[in-house]
Every structure is written in structure tokens, then in C-alpha cells.
Amino acid sequence: GNACIFNGLSTLTKNELTEGSLVVCNGLTIIRDVPKEMNIRLIVNGALLKSPSAFIEPIKINGTSHIIDDEAKIIKSVSELRIDKNFIDNLTEKTAIVACGKIFINDEVNNEMLRSKGIVFYDVAKIIAREELHGYIQANSNNVASVATGDDTKKRKFFRWK
């Protein structure tokens, strides 16, 4: 079979892969819709987000691995993302926010707005939001480095968890 390498933020489906290939992914990799009969061998150096429709069992993962809902809309952002009421109003249900440096959640956003769209965060360096949202963020985060909370934007408190 063939061998191929993907670097950075990659989204892979059956359309990007060749049957019987050895696939090496460096960075953050999202894999969806790969039939078992494609017989893909996978090595990940970084983070893997895999949906149940991706019938690939990685040979080796040097990093983290998470299951992501097949139905989830994926929003990818590499530097900053601002979440406000208008942004949330335009999302479909089940939203995965992936690979952001910083996410700023505006003060108008509340827990119910986030919950109504089933927002889950993956591989984010920092989320800045009001104290009230800290519980939702922590309960719905995978590999988030830190969360800054507090109502006064100049005196934010920082919380870290692994």
C-alpha cells in the first residue's frame, strides 16, 4: 500500500485516503466517514478526533484521542474565536469547536445558550469567559489548557486542569 503524511490541522474522510495506506498525521487530525474495508493503518503524533463512522484503529497515538459525534458540526479556528449570541444563533445543534488558540465568550452568552447547541471544546489553549460559564466549559472540554473567568475582564482568575 501507499504511505501518506498529513501535517497541521487535517480533516480526513474516505475521499482523502487510499485503500490499504499507512497514514501518518502530525498535528490535530479529525477523521470521519472511513469504511472498514479501506484497511487504513494510522499513526498520530498530536491529537486525534475520530467519529464512530471512521472505522480506523490507530496503530500508535503519540498524544490524545477523543471520540467526536458523527452529527457534530465542526468549527475549526487556528488563532482566535469570539463567541457571542449571534454566533450561537447561527449554529446547528451539536457543535464541536476545535483547535483554537483563544476563545473569547462574550458576557451576553449564558449556560443555556451553550447547552442548547451542545457545544464541546477540543484542543484549545485558552477560553476567556464569565465565572458563571466555568462549570459548563470544564464539563464540556477535552484538552483545554486554561480557562480565564470572572466578570471583570481586567481581573480574570485563571484555572488549570488536566
Side-chain angles (χ1 to χ4, degrees):
N2 297 332
C4 51
I5 298 174
F6 294 91
N7 296 312
L9 176 57
S10 306
T11 302
L12 306 177
T13 66
K14 62 186 173 198
N15 301 324
E16 289 78 31
L17 302 171
T18 305
E19 189 173 329
S21 291
L22 171 63
V23 178
V24 178
C25 297
N26 301 307
L28 192 141
T29 306
I30 301 164
I31 299 182
R32 298 176 123 172
D33 190 26
V34 178
K36 188 174 188 173
E37 52 272 11
M38 285 193 76
N39 192 30
I40 301 295
R41 293 165 295 139
L42 177 68
I43 297 171
V44 175
N45 300 306
L48 172 64
L49 300 179
K50 186 172 96 72
S51 72
S53 65
F55 291 95
I56 297 176
E57 288 307 319
I59 297 170
K60 179 82 173 152
I61 298 177
N62 300 307
T64 62
S65 176
H66 303 285
I67 300 296
I68 190 166
D69 194 298
D70 274 321
E71 309 297 311
K73 174 180 178 51
I74 298 175
I75 295 176
K76 296 175 284 191
S77 174
V78 290
S79 58
E80 289 186 1
L81 177 66
R82 294 195 175 273
I83 297 177
D84 60 13
K85 183 183 181 310
N86 186 46
F87 177 88
I88 292 172
D89 286 346
N90 285 287
L91 294 176
T92 57
E93 288 183 19
K94 295 185 183 175
T95 300
I97 298 178
V98 176
C100 292
K102 283 185 187 172
I103 296 176
F104 297 93
I105 302 179
N106 283 17
D107 287 351
E108 68 189 2
V109 175
N110 61 40
N111 281 306
E112 188 47 46
M113 290 176 184
L114 296 172
R115 194 176 297 113
S116 73
K117 301 297 179 165
I119 295 175
V120 180
F121 303 98
Y122 295 91
D123 296 285
V124 176
K126 184 184 289 185
I127 300 175
I128 300 172
R130 290 183 297 123
E131 182 83 36
E132 171 197 330
L133 302 180
H134 181 255
Y136 180 91
I137 293 167
Q138 192 170 3
N140 293 282
S141 294
N142 298 282
N143 204 23
V144 172
S146 71
V147 178
T149 61
D151 292 320
D152 180 346
T153 56
K154 300 206 183 333
K155 296 179 183 172
R156 302 252 185 218
K157 296 179 199 162
F158 289 88
F159 295 89
R160 290 187 170 275
W161 65 86
K162 292 185 178 191

